[in-house]
Amino acid sequence: MKQRIDVSRKPISWTCFPMELVIYIIVILSQDGSYWKIIKEPGTLSCFDDLKAGLTHLQRKEVQKLEGPESFVKENLDSFTECLTTLQSLQGMILSDQKASAGNLTDNTETYISDALSKAVDLFQDVLKRREKADTTRNALNVLQRFKFLFSLPGSIEKNIQKGDIEIVINDFIRAKSLFEDSQVNIFKNVYGDVKQKILDLRQKLLHKVLQMPGTLEEQKKLLGYLNGLETSGNPAWQCLSRYQDWIISALYNCKNNHVKLEQQSGDDQPELVRTTYSTPGMPASATPVSVASNMEPSVTLRYLTPQRVLFLEEMTEILLEHLPDMNKLGQAYLAGELGKTVPFVQNKESSQEFSLLLQNVLEVYCRMLRVAFLPGTVKVPAREQTELGGWQETRLEAYTDWLPHCVRCVRSCYSSLRGIDMSEQHSAIVQQLASDVRTHCMVALFLKAAEEVKELHLQESWLLDVDDGTGATTTLPQQYENIVLECLQILQDVLSPSGPGEQMIFASKALQKDVPALCINLLQAFALALQRHTSKNTDITGHKLSSQIGESHALPNIEVPPLDKRLLIVLANCNLCMTAVLPRLIENFEKHGFPDTQGIQQAVLRKFKELENKLCDMYVERKSDPIVGAIEQNMYLGHFSWSESYRPTEVRGYIKEVLFRMVAVHAEVYSSSSMYTVPIMTRILEAVASELARLFSCVTKFSDAGVLQASLDLTGLQDAMVAYSSSISQRSFKEAFDCIAKNKSLPDENALEELVSKFKKSMKLQLTCFHVDPIKPSR
């Protein structure tokens, strides 16, 4: 087994290997002759890996040597030899020629070439000049053709502007600017200068056009887009918005000035001579047929003419709604950056606030002008500014009351339209507050005017009676009173209720919740004042016509005024009808419309009518009881009668019968007109009569036996006849009278007294029957 030699751990001597191998390796590795050194120094080869690395290196050197210059020369040795032979032959020829010639070999050649060139120039000079000119022309044509766009641009811009193709102009200008803005060629600079001048003129023209108002939204957006494309300096979009605001405000002022002038010329402040029916207020002049208007008196026709202030409101609202939405859309486009990027702070909050201020200025001018025209008490501005906003004639605002519902509709339409264009809450709230104030003013004005009309209802009294067992003899005034109030509520129905989102019930305000009940009470109590005017003692009771009392313009033909006593009863019947039927129906309608504290309103109005009822009863009782009471004493002592005389009483004396006859007449009058007041009126008259009898009998110093019987018979007969109307007061008075008779310490014969009383009742049975009819008590 062969011994394995480890050559990787320690140096080995080349003597360990066969001699042939070592010599072969050394020859290959050291072909430069250094192998002798290797042989002489056996320790040079340290290990087998060194031998392998050396072999690889020598092989690579051998390959490079085979592929190098030496190999190329060896392969082309014949070619190199021929070249060398040729060069040697050429050198010999040159040396021989140089010896043969005296000078430089190239001098003659240079002379010949120069002569040839001179002759060639002479021969082809014209041709060369024409060629140069042709080249110059060709180059110029090439330049013109190459830069045809620039040289034709001024004319092209002019033509496109005339045709309205501004977008093409913008594209051409942008292209020319990118190519020739920085050019140093004079001709290019001149042509580009002409282009810039035309673009500058176009900018001015477009800017002037975009600032001309009014303009359509699409047109303004297009123009602003053109200006942005032309790289206009400044901020055209903001200039347009500012100009839009100024123009709208100017249009509002012009509208106001025109209508103020027309009002001053036409004398619009003429009072309405007749009441405008609530179903026809706000009726424009054009709605009245010409044939009807021509037959009307001038004072009657005027109530259908639209006042200038109402026309002013309509035109103002139309101007605002026509132009403010476009201004708002234009501003929103500006804030969104849709109109260009000429302003670096388009999205800035400050820019949004500035545009909001523009809208606010327009809306405030609109609202202030309307407030000065219709709600002067709600405007808090300096006197000078209020003069600028107003200028209207000093007039009664009541003349426009019938038009206020129409005004409310106009302002509401403005508010709803502003909400429809996505106007911010901050801006729409300005008009919303105006609408709320106009609604409130409309309600107050209509209530006050209705109250005034109710107070004047006595001028429309026809005294045509409608007799009913339950209500008595009433006139048409309660029905007219109810109609006025209901028509007023019907008109206010749309005013009181919200018309759309954002509006509130008019009674949501705490201030109105306190004021509205007083307003309603004033309206409902006004009828009591109208009824009371019929009871004036200065009123003609002889039956003169109304025309002599209230004027020809309000006269109702052939109407006779009843006497005061009759009027008192009729008014009492009207008053009772209002308390029992009309007022509950009206309060029910107030509740349906959402009015606050209707119970308190009803109680306050009932108290007012109750006061009128008591006052009327007092007046009637006074007028009827005074003659009866005044005649008792005179009739009692008629014929020098004395209670101390001795005679035989046979019947009730005449003064008692006179009292009963008069009370029968009073009863018949009251029962025929106001049967529900029969009991209270007859009771109070009986109280007055009993009190007077007690006073008279207290003055009698002495009664005879016959006088005692006669006095007892008179008092008993009267008391029994009027028992249906007896009260504690009258009973007390009768007791006082009987006590005065009993002072004589002699009592009447009871049998004789009963017999005489029975005889009295039989003799006056017909007259006394009316006192036993069941009376109709007033209902509450």
Side-chain angles (χ1 to χ4, degrees), residues 532 535 568 572 609-621 684:
Q532 187 174 350
T535 64
L568 289 173
L572 272 172
F609 277 102
K610 189 63 179 178
E611 292 175 3
L612 176 62
E613 180 186 59
N614 293 334
K615 183 177 181 179
L616 294 175
C617 285
D618 291 340
M619 291 179 62
Y620 186 80
V621 169
R684 295 177 65 177

Side-chain angles (χ1 to χ4, degrees), residues 19 55 130 147 155 199 258 279 348 353-354 358 361 405 434 561 580 587 672 702 710 731 747 779:
M19 182 59 64
L55 178 61
R130 289 195 298 271
F147 301 101
I199 293 298
N258 291 337
S279 57
N348 196 292
Q353 293 175 350
E354 290 177 354
L358 295 182
N361 292 338
L434 173 64
V561 180
T580 57
I587 292 299
S672 63
K702 183 180 179 182
Q710 184 67 59
Q731 289 176 2
L747 297 175
S779 59

